[in-house]
Amino acid sequence: MSSALTDLFPHPIVQAPMAGGVSVPQLAAAVSEAGGLGFLAAGYKTADGMYQEIKQLRGLTGRPFGVNLFLPQPEYAEPAAVEVYAHQLAGEATWYATELGDPDSGRDDGYDAKLAVLLDNPVPVVSFHFGVPSREALDALRRAGTLTLVTATTPEEALAVERAGADAVIVQGIEAGGHQGTHRDIQENDGSGIGLLSLVGQVREAVGLPIVATGGLMRGSQIAAVLAAGASAGQLGTAFLATPESGAHAVHKQALTDPLFVRTELTRAFSGRPARGLVNRFLREHGPYAPAAYPQVHHMTSPLRKAAAKAGDAQGMALWAGQGHRMARDLPAGQLVEVLIAELDAARASLSRGETR
């Protein structure tokens, strides 16, 4: 099955699906055309919006690509905590001259409708975040000719992915930018994630599935490291966020290497789920008080984030980024794939000669 996945793309590079308008068809097409595996992010889109992007991507490339889905979320335990957080954010709404969003805008992200579209109009690869889909869904996709990947952040989650019948597991280290793909959102576990290399080793010994490793990868030498540890490919998000084809806001791209933003943190401030971003004013002021309530907090802060982006205010935006963000390169996505492959080949050659640096 490892070859079934990697035979789809000649280079072991997967472009991470980044929701919120970053992973646009132009980015996915550029990566796939360069020999990697480009991905569309269906999160926060309607089923029709997802379908229109798939059609657009198919018009840009005939190469394989993937689509990522968010799993429906369970009922949160403390709705009163969301109300308290809304009161705390009232000053932000006043500052940005907007209203807070409706926290009860929906928990399932249109999952069933999107799955139906992908069964009627199959794509080469579908990945899942925030949980494990049912065996029935995975089997239906397999019958449609689609390979399935599911994110895991622990060996135990990887075992659940294997039991459900997925074709491969995306092993996400704590270094990753954006949302951690934990299967259950337990606030007591915040900050207890495992580093990527250690996690790949543990998952490799726990399951027999092919591994796509993700979290902080920015250079070909790092991809070589996860391949040596047992992964079949590396998945990169922040590295592609800075490319011209990325749909990220210009302020977000610039912030990746701006000396003003020196570190990242996992925070619930913007969405109610742990996600790694550049530390800015909003994260510092509200992160300690944000409840474990996804996607309620996401819906509530959405107008604030949009208003901050419209104003070009990096201090109020969700600047998702992995720990390697300072290594971001402003290169076209296809050229970045070529550079990464050259670095990967050089690292492999160095290892084969027994060289160290």
Side-chain angles (χ1 to χ4, degrees), residues 24-48:
V24 293
Q26 292 81 1
L27 175 59
V31 173
S32 289
E33 283 291 304
L37 182 67
F39 252 94
L40 293 175
Y44 311 135
K45 291 183 173 66
T46 64
D48 183 64

Side-chain angles (χ1 to χ4, degrees), residues 266-335:
L266 286 170
T267 184
R268 295 178 180 270
F270 298 100
S271 72
R273 235 184 187 275
R276 184 173 297 281
L278 300 176
V279 176
N280 61 3
R281 178 194 60 79
F282 195 103
L283 189 155
R284 286 193 302 269
E285 293 183 359
H286 302 294
Y289 311 103
Y294 175 88
Q296 288 76 16
V297 172
H298 162 78
H299 293 316
M300 193 163 60
T301 65
S302 179
L304 301 178
R305 291 179 276 119
K306 289 177 180 177
K310 185 177 180 180
D313 181 8
Q315 296 299 331
M317 298 168 61
L319 302 174
W320 303 137
Q323 288 184 341
H325 65 95
R326 299 300 294 274
M327 301 167 73
R329 296 179 281 206
D330 182 11
L331 295 174
Q335 184 180 346

Side-chain angles (χ1 to χ4, degrees), residues 6-328:
T6 55
D7 283 353
L8 291 177
F9 46 106
H11 301 312
I13 294 176
V14 178
Q15 166 247 312
M18 295 168 280
V22 178
S23 295
V24 293
Q26 292 81 1
L27 175 59
V31 173
S32 289
E33 283 291 304
L37 182 67
F39 252 94
L40 293 175
Y44 311 135
K45 291 183 173 66
T46 64
D48 183 64
M50 177 194 73
Y51 177 60
Q52 295 304 321
E53 286 206 345
I54 291 172
K55 288 205 303 182
Q56 185 180 354
L57 177 53
R58 282 179 167 146
L60 295 172
T61 183
R63 293 180 179 270
F65 62 90
V67 175
N68 175 257
L69 298 181
F70 287 170
L71 271 295
Q73 298 300 292
E75 187 73 53
Y76 60 98
E78 299 183 40
V82 176
E83 295 181 17
V84 171
Y85 195 51
H87 287 300
Q88 179 173 339
L89 296 178
E92 299 283 351
T94 301
W95 176 257
Y96 289 113
T98 188
E99 300 290 331
L100 295 178
D102 179 6
D104 298 316
S105 297
R107 297 193 308 276
D108 66 359
D109 199 49
Y111 175 77
D112 289 337
K114 291 172 185 175
L115 187 60
V117 168
L118 293 170
L119 290 172
D120 288 340
N121 302 272
V123 299
V125 180
V126 171
S127 68
F128 298 86
H129 211 55
F130 297 150
V132 183
S134 67
R135 175 172 286 277
E136 291 75 18
L138 294 172
D139 287 346
L141 287 166
R142 183 175 296 107
R143 289 193 296 271
T146 298
L147 288 173
T148 55
L149 292 75
V150 182
T151 302
T153 63
T154 66
E156 292 76 20
E157 289 181 350
L159 283 166
V161 171
E162 185 174 53
R163 286 194 297 267
D167 294 313
V169 57
I170 300 171
V171 174
Q172 185 190 39
I174 193 70
E175 305 94 332
H179 285 94
Q180 288 284 299
T182 50
H183 295 180
R184 294 179 60 218
D185 186 16
I186 302 173
Q187 199 158 13
E188 290 77 14
N189 292 345
D190 284 5
S192 63
I194 305 171
L196 181 59
L197 276 176
S198 177
L199 184 58
V200 168
Q202 292 179 49
V203 172
R204 177 74 288 153
E205 294 190 3
V207 304
L209 293 176
I211 291 172
V212 175
T214 189
L217 303 179
M218 302 292 289
R219 296 287 186 266
S221 57
Q222 294 171 301
I223 299 172
V226 295
L227 296 181
S232 298
Q235 179 174 278
L236 292 76
T238 305
F240 286 107
L241 191 152
T243 64
E245 294 90 345
S246 156
H249 194 286
V251 170
H252 192 169
K253 294 181 181 182
Q254 293 162 6
L256 294 175
T257 53
D258 187 333
L260 182 65
F261 300 101
V262 297
R263 61 190 178 91
T264 63
E265 280 186 10
L266 286 170
T267 184
R268 295 178 180 270
F270 298 100
S271 72
R273 235 184 187 275
R276 184 173 297 281
L278 300 176
V279 176
N280 61 3
R281 178 194 60 79
F282 195 103
L283 189 155
R284 286 193 302 269
E285 293 183 359
H286 302 294
Y289 311 103
Y294 175 88
Q296 288 76 16
V297 172
H298 162 78
H299 293 316
M300 193 163 60
T301 65
S302 179
L304 301 178
R305 291 179 276 119
K306 289 177 180 177
K310 185 177 180 180
D313 181 8
Q315 296 299 331
M317 298 168 61
L319 302 174
W320 303 137
Q323 288 184 341
H325 65 95
R326 299 300 294 274
M327 301 167 73

